[in-house]
Amino acid sequence: MPPPEMHRTDRIGWLRAAVLGANDGILSTASIVVGVASAESSREAILVAGIAAMVAGALSMAAGEYVSVYSQADTEKADLKLEEAELIRNPDDELAELASIYEKRGLEPALALEVAKQLTEKDALGAHARDELGITEIAAANPLQAAWSSAAAFAAGASAPLVTAFFASGAYMVWLVSAISLFALAVLGGVAAQAGGASIVRGAMRVTFWGAFAMGATGLIGHLFGVNV
Ligand SMILES: [Zn+2]
């Protein structure tokens, strides 16, 4: 028997979340450091702004992720409860509903009804959850875990421009922070593309282009403010 083919979608979920968090951390922190440094601020001001950006970003990622995962799980739970009640109150209608779903997917009416009957006997709620509501993993997502992991990913990404800013000296800081951040973005973009089975070069280039654009824009704004204020 040949081995089953490897699907990439399973492991892409958490990796995608981690890469997105790290991307955000790199890009927003680097942009703020570049912007503040371009305004010819003191070293302390630049570092304080960078650290504040990291903390604020990580917390806002955590809060956003918590709310989103929590409300998603909440909605699914409510949907399942509704379905459960409906299955008790109206088993015949629910069976017909399930059969019509399979019919629409291409089964003949008699076969669709038979499939619906057998699945209902085995696990009625599971069948409705999957095929009617599209819920495959019941209560799989943990909001707290999602919150912490995206905050950690953001902070890890933010540390690249921050550590660079800490060690770089005055005149070169903007260029070094930009270069190292763009490099980190390119590596992450490549990793994400590789994991997703997409082109590594294109994945790396896309994120690097937009990264350079964002840093250039904030650098310009910082420069204009630094000159005019
Ligand atoms: Zn149903």
Side-chain angles (χ1 to χ4, degrees), residues 17-18 20-22 24-26 53-66 143-159:
L20 281 181
D24 265 10
I26 296 170
M54 175 171 88
V55 173
L59 288 179
S60 110
M61 287 283 285
E65 195 69 3
Y66 183 86
L144 265 185
Q145 194 187 334
W148 280 116
S149 49
S150 53
F154 185 95
S159 69

Side-chain angles (χ1 to χ4, degrees), residues 83 86-87 94 97-98 101 128 132:
E83 197 64 38
E86 206 53 32
L87 278 168
E94 286 298 311
E97 180 187 51
L98 202 56
I101 289 171
H128 281 265
E132 183 191 343

Side-chain angles (χ1 to χ4, degrees), residues 84-176:
E84 206 169 12
E86 206 53 32
L87 278 168
I88 293 168
R89 200 154 39 125
N90 249 331
D92 293 344
D93 285 354
E94 286 298 311
L95 182 68
E97 180 187 51
L98 202 56
S100 88
I101 289 171
Y102 298 136
E103 225 182 292
K104 274 189 204 124
R105 290 191 192 164
L107 298 187
E108 281 168 21
L111 181 58
L113 186 62
E114 186 55 33
V115 169
K117 266 186 191 155
Q118 290 195 17
L119 287 178
T120 299
E121 259 168 51
K122 176 111 191 300
D123 173 14
L125 186 60
H128 281 265
R130 263 191 329 269
D131 296 328
E132 183 191 343
L133 305 173
I135 301 172
T136 46
E137 288 170 55
I138 295 169
N142 177 344
L144 265 185
Q145 194 187 334
W148 280 116
S149 49
S150 53
F154 185 95
S159 69
L162 260 188
V163 169
T164 311
F166 188 79
F167 286 110
S169 64
Y172 299 108
M173 188 196 267
V174 166
W175 297 110
L176 257 177

Side-chain angles (χ1 to χ4, degrees), residues 32-50 165-166 168-171 173-174 226:
I32 284 171
V33 166
V34 166
V36 176
S38 299
E40 279 152 44
S41 315
S42 70
R43 190 184 161 74
E44 285 77 47
I46 297 167
L47 291 177
V48 167
F166 188 79
S169 64
M173 188 196 267
V174 166

Side-chain angles (χ1 to χ4, degrees), residues 159-212:
S159 69
L162 260 188
V163 169
T164 311
F166 188 79
F167 286 110
S169 64
Y172 299 108
M173 188 196 267
V174 166
W175 297 110
L176 257 177
V177 167
S178 305
I180 289 195
S181 302
L182 288 178
F183 177 74
L185 283 176
V187 170
L188 277 180
V191 167
Q194 211 266 333
S199 155
I200 297 177
V201 176
R202 210 179 308 156
M205 275 184 22
R206 193 187 306 139
V207 69
T208 313
F209 172 79
W210 289 111

